[in-house]
PDB file of all heavy atoms in Angstrom:
ATOM      1  N   THR A   4     132.732  19.623 252.718  1.00  0.00           N
ATOM      2  CA  THR A   4     132.807  20.654 253.753  1.00  0.00           C
ATOM      3  C   THR A   4     134.260  20.986 254.078  1.00  0.00           C
ATOM      4  O   THR A   4     134.613  22.154 254.251  1.00  0.00           O
ATOM      5  CB  THR A   4     132.038  20.209 255.009  1.00  0.00           C
ATOM      6  OG1 THR A   4     130.670  19.986 254.642  1.00  0.00           O
ATOM      7  CG2 THR A   4     132.093  21.261 256.099  1.00  0.00           C
ATOM      8  N   GLY A   5     135.127  19.984 254.113  1.00  0.00           N
ATOM      9  CA  GLY A   5     136.544  20.236 254.344  1.00  0.00           C
ATOM     10  C   GLY A   5     137.159  21.085 253.252  1.00  0.00           C
ATOM     11  O   GLY A   5     137.912  22.029 253.516  1.00  0.00           O
ATOM     12  N   ASN A   6     136.831  20.763 252.000  1.00  0.00           N
ATOM     13  CA  ASN A   6     137.340  21.559 250.875  1.00  0.00           C
ATOM     14  C   ASN A   6     136.821  22.989 250.930  1.00  0.00           C
ATOM     15  O   ASN A   6     137.554  23.944 250.670  1.00  0.00           O
ATOM     16  CB  ASN A   6     136.952  20.915 249.543  1.00  0.00           C
ATOM     17  CG  ASN A   6     137.834  19.745 249.198  1.00  0.00           C
ATOM     18  OD1 ASN A   6     139.022  19.748 249.464  1.00  0.00           O
ATOM     19  ND2 ASN A   6     137.251  18.721 248.617  1.00  0.00           N
ATOM     20  N   ILE A   7     135.562  23.151 251.264  1.00  0.00           N
ATOM     21  CA  ILE A   7     134.979  24.491 251.364  1.00  0.00           C
ATOM     22  C   ILE A   7     135.634  25.259 252.510  1.00  0.00           C
ATOM     23  O   ILE A   7     135.932  26.446 252.382  1.00  0.00           O
ATOM     24  CB  ILE A   7     133.448  24.406 251.520  1.00  0.00           C
ATOM     25  CG1 ILE A   7     132.834  23.876 250.220  1.00  0.00           C
ATOM     26  CG2 ILE A   7     132.843  25.764 251.898  1.00  0.00           C
ATOM     27  CD1 ILE A   7     131.385  23.439 250.334  1.00  0.00           C
ATOM     28  N   GLY A   8     135.892  24.573 253.626  1.00  0.00           N
ATOM     29  CA  GLY A   8     136.593  25.215 254.735  1.00  0.00           C
ATOM     30  C   GLY A   8     137.960  25.712 254.324  1.00  0.00           C
ATOM     31  O   GLY A   8     138.361  26.836 254.655  1.00  0.00           O
ATOM     32  N   ARG A   9     138.680  24.909 253.569  1.00  0.00           N
ATOM     33  CA  ARG A   9     140.006  25.317 253.088  1.00  0.00           C
ATOM     34  C   ARG A   9     139.893  26.530 252.166  1.00  0.00           C
ATOM     35  O   ARG A   9     140.679  27.471 252.269  1.00  0.00           O
ATOM     36  CB  ARG A   9     140.654  24.149 252.355  1.00  0.00           C
ATOM     37  CG  ARG A   9     142.046  24.441 251.884  1.00  0.00           C
ATOM     38  CD  ARG A   9     142.658  23.231 251.234  1.00  0.00           C
ATOM     39  NE  ARG A   9     144.035  23.525 250.852  1.00  0.00           N
ATOM     40  CZ  ARG A   9     144.894  22.623 250.458  1.00  0.00           C
ATOM     41  NH1 ARG A   9     144.539  21.356 250.409  1.00  0.00           N
ATOM     42  NH2 ARG A   9     146.115  22.953 250.117  1.00  0.00           N
ATOM     43  N   THR A  10     138.909  26.526 251.288  1.00  0.00           N
ATOM     44  CA  THR A  10     138.687  27.674 250.398  1.00  0.00           C
ATOM     45  C   THR A  10     138.341  28.921 251.214  1.00  0.00           C
ATOM     46  O   THR A  10     138.822  30.013 250.909  1.00  0.00           O
ATOM     47  CB  THR A  10     137.573  27.355 249.378  1.00  0.00           C
ATOM     48  OG1 THR A  10     137.975  26.213 248.610  1.00  0.00           O
ATOM     49  CG2 THR A  10     137.304  28.527 248.456  1.00  0.00           C
ATOM     50  N   CYS A  11     137.534  28.764 252.249  1.00  0.00           N
ATOM     51  CA  CYS A  11     137.186  29.906 253.106  1.00  0.00           C
ATOM     52  C   CYS A  11     138.422  30.504 253.763  1.00  0.00           C
ATOM     53  O   CYS A  11     138.566  31.725 253.843  1.00  0.00           O
ATOM     54  CB  CYS A  11     136.165  29.495 254.169  1.00  0.00           C
ATOM     55  SG  CYS A  11     134.488  29.281 253.533  1.00  0.00           S
ATOM     56  N   VAL A  12     139.328  29.654 254.240  1.00  0.00           N
ATOM     57  CA  VAL A  12     140.560  30.157 254.846  1.00  0.00           C
ATOM     58  C   VAL A  12     141.354  30.959 253.817  1.00  0.00           C
ATOM     59  O   VAL A  12     141.814  32.073 254.091  1.00  0.00           O
ATOM     60  CB  VAL A  12     141.408  29.011 255.437  1.00  0.00           C
ATOM     61  CG1 VAL A  12     142.792  29.505 255.846  1.00  0.00           C
ATOM     62  CG2 VAL A  12     140.699  28.390 256.637  1.00  0.00           C
ATOM     63  N   ALA A  13     141.509  30.419 252.612  1.00  0.00           N
ATOM     64  CA  ALA A  13     142.265  31.097 251.561  1.00  0.00           C
ATOM     65  C   ALA A  13     141.628  32.416 251.153  1.00  0.00           C
ATOM     66  O   ALA A  13     142.315  33.352 250.736  1.00  0.00           O
ATOM     67  CB  ALA A  13     142.402  30.186 250.344  1.00  0.00           C
ATOM     68  N   ALA A  14     140.300  32.494 251.279  1.00  0.00           N
ATOM     69  CA  ALA A  14     139.552  33.677 250.849  1.00  0.00           C
ATOM     70  C   ALA A  14     139.240  34.636 251.990  1.00  0.00           C
ATOM     71  O   ALA A  14     138.661  35.693 251.762  1.00  0.00           O
ATOM     72  CB  ALA A  14     138.250  33.234 250.187  1.00  0.00           C
ATOM     73  N   GLY A  15     139.566  34.263 253.215  1.00  0.00           N
ATOM     74  CA  GLY A  15     139.238  35.119 254.356  1.00  0.00           C
ATOM     75  C   GLY A  15     137.756  35.128 254.676  1.00  0.00           C
ATOM     76  O   GLY A  15     137.240  36.086 255.257  1.00  0.00           O
ATOM     77  N   ALA A  16     137.050  34.080 254.295  1.00  0.00           N
ATOM     78  CA  ALA A  16     135.604  33.994 254.520  1.00  0.00           C
ATOM     79  C   ALA A  16     135.316  33.159 255.773  1.00  0.00           C
ATOM     80  O   ALA A  16     136.138  32.338 256.195  1.00  0.00           O
ATOM     81  CB  ALA A  16     134.916  33.367 253.313  1.00  0.00           C
ATOM     82  N   LYS A  17     134.143  33.373 256.338  1.00  0.00           N
ATOM     83  CA  LYS A  17     133.685  32.588 257.476  1.00  0.00           C
ATOM     84  C   LYS A  17     132.796  31.457 256.964  1.00  0.00           C
ATOM     85  O   LYS A  17     132.108  31.617 255.961  1.00  0.00           O
ATOM     86  CB  LYS A  17     132.889  33.470 258.439  1.00  0.00           C
ATOM     87  CG  LYS A  17     133.724  34.587 259.040  1.00  0.00           C
ATOM     88  CD  LYS A  17     132.867  35.500 259.889  1.00  0.00           C
ATOM     89  CE  LYS A  17     133.704  36.675 260.386  1.00  0.00           C
ATOM     90  NZ  LYS A  17     132.879  37.641 261.115  1.00  0.00           N
ATOM     91  N   LEU A  18     132.796  30.341 257.686  1.00  0.00           N
ATOM     92  CA  LEU A  18     131.973  29.198 257.310  1.00  0.00           C
ATOM     93  C   LEU A  18     130.914  28.968 258.377  1.00  0.00           C
ATOM     94  O   LEU A  18     131.223  28.913 259.567  1.00  0.00           O
ATOM     95  CB  LEU A  18     132.838  27.940 257.150  1.00  0.00           C
ATOM     96  CG  LEU A  18     132.115  26.656 256.764  1.00  0.00           C
ATOM     97  CD1 LEU A  18     131.421  26.800 255.403  1.00  0.00           C
ATOM     98  CD2 LEU A  18     133.079  25.481 256.749  1.00  0.00           C
ATOM     99  N   HIS A  19     129.671  28.839 257.941  1.00  0.00           N
ATOM    100  CA  HIS A  19     128.532  28.619 258.833  1.00  0.00           C
ATOM    101  C   HIS A  19     127.887  27.296 258.443  1.00  0.00           C
ATOM    102  O   HIS A  19     127.557  27.089 257.273  1.00  0.00           O
ATOM    103  CB  HIS A  19     127.516  29.758 258.692  1.00  0.00           C
ATOM    104  CG  HIS A  19     128.117  31.105 258.940  1.00  0.00           C
ATOM    105  ND1 HIS A  19     128.028  31.730 260.153  1.00  0.00           N
ATOM    106  CD2 HIS A  19     128.824  31.935 258.131  1.00  0.00           C
ATOM    107  CE1 HIS A  19     128.649  32.897 260.094  1.00  0.00           C
ATOM    108  NE2 HIS A  19     129.146  33.044 258.868  1.00  0.00           N
ATOM    109  N   LEU A  20     127.716  26.406 259.417  1.00  0.00           N
ATOM    110  CA  LEU A  20     127.149  25.082 259.169  1.00  0.00           C
ATOM    111  C   LEU A  20     125.821  24.949 259.895  1.00  0.00           C
ATOM    112  O   LEU A  20     125.757  25.107 261.123  1.00  0.00           O
ATOM    113  CB  LEU A  20     128.109  24.001 259.668  1.00  0.00           C
ATOM    114  CG  LEU A  20     129.528  24.039 259.082  1.00  0.00           C
ATOM    115  CD1 LEU A  20     130.404  22.996 259.763  1.00  0.00           C
ATOM    116  CD2 LEU A  20     129.495  23.844 257.580  1.00  0.00           C
ATOM    117  N   ILE A  21     124.769  24.676 259.135  1.00  0.00           N
ATOM    118  CA  ILE A  21     123.437  24.495 259.712  1.00  0.00           C
ATOM    119  C   ILE A  21     123.181  22.997 259.842  1.00  0.00           C
ATOM    120  O   ILE A  21     123.250  22.256 258.859  1.00  0.00           O
ATOM    121  CB  ILE A  21     122.359  25.173 258.851  1.00  0.00           C
ATOM    122  CG1 ILE A  21     122.615  26.686 258.800  1.00  0.00           C
ATOM    123  CG2 ILE A  21     120.963  24.868 259.401  1.00  0.00           C
ATOM    124  CD1 ILE A  21     121.686  27.449 257.872  1.00  0.00           C
ATOM    125  N   GLU A  22     122.905  22.562 261.052  1.00  0.00           N
ATOM    126  CA  GLU A  22     122.637  21.147 261.345  1.00  0.00           C
ATOM    127  C   GLU A  22     121.247  20.747 260.893  1.00  0.00           C
ATOM    128  O   GLU A  22     120.408  21.606 260.693  1.00  0.00           O
ATOM    129  CB  GLU A  22     122.804  20.920 262.854  1.00  0.00           C
ATOM    130  CG  GLU A  22     124.220  21.189 263.323  1.00  0.00           C
ATOM    131  CD  GLU A  22     124.380  21.061 264.836  1.00  0.00           C
ATOM    132  OE1 GLU A  22     123.357  20.967 265.563  1.00  0.00           O
ATOM    133  OE2 GLU A  22     125.522  21.056 265.290  1.00  0.00           O
ATOM    134  N   PRO A  23     121.027  19.436 260.726  1.00  0.00           N
ATOM    135  CA  PRO A  23     121.952  18.348 261.031  1.00  0.00           C
ATOM    136  C   PRO A  23     123.021  18.190 259.961  1.00  0.00           C
ATOM    137  O   PRO A  23     122.781  18.421 258.778  1.00  0.00           O
ATOM    138  CB  PRO A  23     121.048  17.120 261.092  1.00  0.00           C
ATOM    139  CG  PRO A  23     119.903  17.445 260.190  1.00  0.00           C
ATOM    140  CD  PRO A  23     119.712  18.932 260.304  1.00  0.00           C
ATOM    141  N   LEU A  24     124.211  17.797 260.402  1.00  0.00           N
ATOM    142  CA  LEU A  24     125.323  17.531 259.504  1.00  0.00           C
ATOM    143  C   LEU A  24     125.367  16.031 259.230  1.00  0.00           C
ATOM    144  O   LEU A  24     124.988  15.235 260.084  1.00  0.00           O
ATOM    145  CB  LEU A  24     126.648  17.969 260.142  1.00  0.00           C
ATOM    146  CG  LEU A  24     126.715  19.394 260.695  1.00  0.00           C
ATOM    147  CD1 LEU A  24     128.087  19.654 261.308  1.00  0.00           C
ATOM    148  CD2 LEU A  24     126.394  20.422 259.624  1.00  0.00           C
ATOM    149  N   GLY A  25     125.862  15.649 258.089  1.00  0.00           N
ATOM    150  CA  GLY A  25     125.974  14.239 257.745  1.00  0.00           C
ATOM    151  C   GLY A  25     127.260  13.618 258.255  1.00  0.00           C
ATOM    152  O   GLY A  25     127.656  12.549 257.803  1.00  0.00           O
ATOM    153  N   PHE A  26     127.927  14.278 259.202  1.00  0.00           N
ATOM    154  CA  PHE A  26     129.220  13.839 259.723  1.00  0.00           C
ATOM    155  C   PHE A  26     129.460  14.568 261.036  1.00  0.00           C
ATOM    156  O   PHE A  26     128.713  15.479 261.397  1.00  0.00           O
ATOM    157  CB  PHE A  26     130.343  14.174 258.727  1.00  0.00           C
ATOM    158  CG  PHE A  26     130.278  15.607 258.265  1.00  0.00           C
ATOM    159  CD1 PHE A  26     130.884  16.633 258.980  1.00  0.00           C
ATOM    160  CD2 PHE A  26     129.572  15.947 257.125  1.00  0.00           C
ATOM    161  CE1 PHE A  26     130.788  17.953 258.568  1.00  0.00           C
ATOM    162  CE2 PHE A  26     129.474  17.264 256.693  1.00  0.00           C
ATOM    163  CZ  PHE A  26     130.086  18.270 257.424  1.00  0.00           C
ATOM    164  N   ARG A  27     130.509  14.162 261.735  1.00  0.00           N
ATOM    165  CA  ARG A  27     130.920  14.860 262.945  1.00  0.00           C
ATOM    166  C   ARG A  27     132.001  15.866 262.581  1.00  0.00           C
ATOM    167  O   ARG A  27     132.837  15.609 261.717  1.00  0.00           O
ATOM    168  CB  ARG A  27     131.445  13.867 263.981  1.00  0.00           C
ATOM    169  CG  ARG A  27     130.367  12.932 264.512  1.00  0.00           C
ATOM    170  CD  ARG A  27     130.893  11.989 265.586  1.00  0.00           C
ATOM    171  NE  ARG A  27     132.208  11.413 265.316  1.00  0.00           N
ATOM    172  CZ  ARG A  27     132.431  10.333 264.567  1.00  0.00           C
ATOM    173  NH1 ARG A  27     131.415   9.698 263.993  1.00  0.00           N
ATOM    174  NH2 ARG A  27     133.664   9.882 264.386  1.00  0.00           N
ATOM    175  N   ILE A  28     132.011  17.016 263.256  1.00  0.00           N
ATOM    176  CA  ILE A  28     133.003  18.062 262.971  1.00  0.00           C
ATOM    177  C   ILE A  28     134.429  17.539 263.152  1.00  0.00           C
ATOM    178  O   ILE A  28     135.336  17.968 262.468  1.00  0.00           O
ATOM    179  CB  ILE A  28     132.755  19.285 263.887  1.00  0.00           C
ATOM    180  CG1 ILE A  28     131.482  20.012 263.474  1.00  0.00           C
ATOM    181  CG2 ILE A  28     133.937  20.254 263.868  1.00  0.00           C
ATOM    182  CD1 ILE A  28     131.585  20.777 262.185  1.00  0.00           C
ATOM    183  N   ASN A  29     134.638  16.604 264.041  1.00  0.00           N
ATOM    184  CA  ASN A  29     135.992  16.108 264.275  1.00  0.00           C
ATOM    185  C   ASN A  29     136.345  14.912 263.382  1.00  0.00           C
ATOM    186  O   ASN A  29     137.369  14.275 263.587  1.00  0.00           O
ATOM    187  CB  ASN A  29     136.176  15.735 265.749  1.00  0.00           C
ATOM    188  CG  ASN A  29     135.229  14.643 266.190  1.00  0.00           C
ATOM    189  OD1 ASN A  29     134.377  14.196 265.422  1.00  0.00           O
ATOM    190  ND2 ASN A  29     135.366  14.216 267.435  1.00  0.00           N
ATOM    191  N   GLU A  30     135.515  14.623 262.404  1.00  0.00           N
ATOM    192  CA  GLU A  30     135.728  13.472 261.529  1.00  0.00           C
ATOM    193  C   GLU A  30     137.020  13.620 260.717  1.00  0.00           C
ATOM    194  O   GLU A  30     137.329  14.690 260.202  1.00  0.00           O
ATOM    195  CB  GLU A  30     134.527  13.320 260.598  1.00  0.00           C
ATOM    196  CG  GLU A  30     134.487  12.000 259.893  1.00  0.00           C
ATOM    197  CD  GLU A  30     133.116  11.734 259.306  1.00  0.00           C
ATOM    198  OE1 GLU A  30     132.109  11.911 260.004  1.00  0.00           O
ATOM    199  OE2 GLU A  30     133.068  11.341 258.133  1.00  0.00           O
ATOM    200  N   LYS A  31     137.753  12.515 260.612  1.00  0.00           N
ATOM    201  CA  LYS A  31     139.045  12.502 259.934  1.00  0.00           C
ATOM    202  C   LYS A  31     138.932  12.975 258.478  1.00  0.00           C
ATOM    203  O   LYS A  31     139.770  13.733 257.990  1.00  0.00           O
ATOM    204  CB  LYS A  31     139.636  11.090 259.979  1.00  0.00           C
ATOM    205  CG  LYS A  31     141.050  11.018 259.431  1.00  0.00           C
ATOM    206  CD  LYS A  31     141.540   9.598 259.285  1.00  0.00           C
ATOM    207  CE  LYS A  31     141.825   8.982 260.632  1.00  0.00           C
ATOM    208  NZ  LYS A  31     142.439   7.636 260.504  1.00  0.00           N
ATOM    209  N   ALA A  32     137.897  12.551 257.760  1.00  0.00           N
ATOM    210  CA  ALA A  32     137.744  12.930 256.343  1.00  0.00           C
ATOM    211  C   ALA A  32     137.560  14.435 256.184  1.00  0.00           C
ATOM    212  O   ALA A  32     138.044  15.032 255.219  1.00  0.00           O
ATOM    213  CB  ALA A  32     136.561  12.195 255.723  1.00  0.00           C
ATOM    214  N   LEU A  33     136.879  15.056 257.120  1.00  0.00           N
ATOM    215  CA  LEU A  33     136.670  16.503 257.081  1.00  0.00           C
ATOM    216  C   LEU A  33     138.005  17.225 257.242  1.00  0.00           C
ATOM    217  O   LEU A  33     138.348  18.115 256.467  1.00  0.00           O
ATOM    218  CB  LEU A  33     135.709  16.914 258.207  1.00  0.00           C
ATOM    219  CG  LEU A  33     135.438  18.388 258.378  1.00  0.00           C
ATOM    220  CD1 LEU A  33     134.570  18.892 257.248  1.00  0.00           C
ATOM    221  CD2 LEU A  33     134.758  18.629 259.706  1.00  0.00           C
ATOM    222  N   LYS A  34     138.764  16.827 258.222  1.00  0.00           N
ATOM    223  CA  LYS A  34     140.060  17.473 258.472  1.00  0.00           C
ATOM    224  C   LYS A  34     141.047  17.182 257.351  1.00  0.00           C
ATOM    225  O   LYS A  34     141.851  18.032 256.988  1.00  0.00           O
ATOM    226  CB  LYS A  34     140.611  17.008 259.810  1.00  0.00           C
ATOM    227  CG  LYS A  34     139.656  17.349 260.951  1.00  0.00           C
ATOM    228  CD  LYS A  34     140.268  18.245 261.960  1.00  0.00           C
ATOM    229  CE  LYS A  34     139.220  18.770 262.881  1.00  0.00           C
ATOM    230  NZ  LYS A  34     139.254  18.393 264.215  1.00  0.00           N
ATOM    231  N   ARG A  35     141.001  15.968 256.788  1.00  0.00           N
ATOM    232  CA  ARG A  35     141.911  15.627 255.701  1.00  0.00           C
ATOM    233  C   ARG A  35     141.641  16.515 254.494  1.00  0.00           C
ATOM    234  O   ARG A  35     142.557  17.037 253.871  1.00  0.00           O
ATOM    235  CB  ARG A  35     141.763  14.149 255.317  1.00  0.00           C
ATOM    236  CG  ARG A  35     142.812  13.703 254.317  1.00  0.00           C
ATOM    237  CD  ARG A  35     142.714  12.223 253.963  1.00  0.00           C
ATOM    238  NE  ARG A  35     142.547  11.378 255.124  1.00  0.00           N
ATOM    239  CZ  ARG A  35     141.549  10.496 255.249  1.00  0.00           C
ATOM    240  NH1 ARG A  35     140.662  10.334 254.298  1.00  0.00           N
ATOM    241  NH2 ARG A  35     141.455   9.753 256.327  1.00  0.00           N
ATOM    242  N   ALA A  36     140.376  16.708 254.155  1.00  0.00           N
ATOM    243  CA  ALA A  36     140.031  17.546 253.004  1.00  0.00           C
ATOM    244  C   ALA A  36     140.369  19.015 253.267  1.00  0.00           C
ATOM    245  O   ALA A  36     140.743  19.740 252.352  1.00  0.00           O
ATOM    246  CB  ALA A  36     138.548  17.401 252.679  1.00  0.00           C
ATOM    247  N   GLY A  37     140.232  19.443 254.502  1.00  0.00           N
ATOM    248  CA  GLY A  37     140.563  20.819 254.861  1.00  0.00           C
ATOM    249  C   GLY A  37     142.038  21.013 255.132  1.00  0.00           C
ATOM    250  O   GLY A  37     142.493  22.120 255.387  1.00  0.00           O
ATOM    251  N   MET A  38     142.772  19.885 255.087  1.00  0.00           N
ATOM    252  CA  MET A  38     144.212  19.863 255.330  1.00  0.00           C
ATOM    253  C   MET A  38     144.506  20.475 256.695  1.00  0.00           C
ATOM    254  O   MET A  38     143.721  20.350 257.613  1.00  0.00           O
ATOM    255  CB  MET A  38     144.954  20.589 254.204  1.00  0.00           C
ATOM    256  CG  MET A  38     144.656  20.053 252.826  1.00  0.00           C
ATOM    257  SD  MET A  38     145.324  18.429 252.481  1.00  0.00           S
ATOM    258  CE  MET A  38     147.058  18.786 252.394  1.00  0.00           C
ATOM    259  N   ASP A  39     145.608  21.139 256.797  1.00  0.00           N
ATOM    260  CA  ASP A  39     145.992  21.725 258.074  1.00  0.00           C
ATOM    261  C   ASP A  39     145.397  23.118 258.259  1.00  0.00           C
ATOM    262  O   ASP A  39     145.753  23.828 259.176  1.00  0.00           O
ATOM    263  CB  ASP A  39     147.512  21.771 258.193  1.00  0.00           C
ATOM    264  CG  ASP A  39     148.181  22.448 257.011  1.00  0.00           C
ATOM    265  OD1 ASP A  39     147.508  22.649 255.977  1.00  0.00           O
ATOM    266  OD2 ASP A  39     149.371  22.764 257.115  1.00  0.00           O
ATOM    267  N   TYR A  40     144.461  23.497 257.411  1.00  0.00           N
ATOM    268  CA  TYR A  40     143.849  24.815 257.484  1.00  0.00           C
ATOM    269  C   TYR A  40     142.676  24.875 258.452  1.00  0.00           C
ATOM    270  O   TYR A  40     142.223  25.948 258.809  1.00  0.00           O
ATOM    271  CB  TYR A  40     143.354  25.258 256.101  1.00  0.00           C
ATOM    272  CG  TYR A  40     144.468  25.405 255.095  1.00  0.00           C
ATOM    273  CD1 TYR A  40     144.773  24.389 254.220  1.00  0.00           C
ATOM    274  CD2 TYR A  40     145.218  26.571 255.041  1.00  0.00           C
ATOM    275  CE1 TYR A  40     145.794  24.512 253.296  1.00  0.00           C
ATOM    276  CE2 TYR A  40     146.242  26.712 254.125  1.00  0.00           C
ATOM    277  CZ  TYR A  40     146.522  25.686 253.257  1.00  0.00           C
ATOM    278  OH  TYR A  40     147.538  25.823 252.362  1.00  0.00           O
TER     279      TYR A  40
END
């Protein structure tokens, strides 16, 4: 999800997440994969 979020930023796309998620939105691994984007 973090990688996809980063790709969405680069592409100008919006990201929609349908719950339940297998993680918390504020999870460190999610932000690390999405980098500072």
Side-chain angles (χ1 to χ4, degrees):
T4 300
N6 282 323
I7 292 166
R9 183 177 183 169
T10 300
C11 285
V12 170
K17 297 175 185 175
L18 180 61
H19 304 263
L20 303 175
I21 298 175
E22 297 176 349
L24 309 179
F26 50 86
R27 293 182 318 276
I28 289 288
N29 61 356
E30 194 164 312
K31 186 189 288 186
L33 176 72
K34 301 240 168 114
R35 187 178 314 126
M38 304 290 290
D39 53 346
Y40 297 96

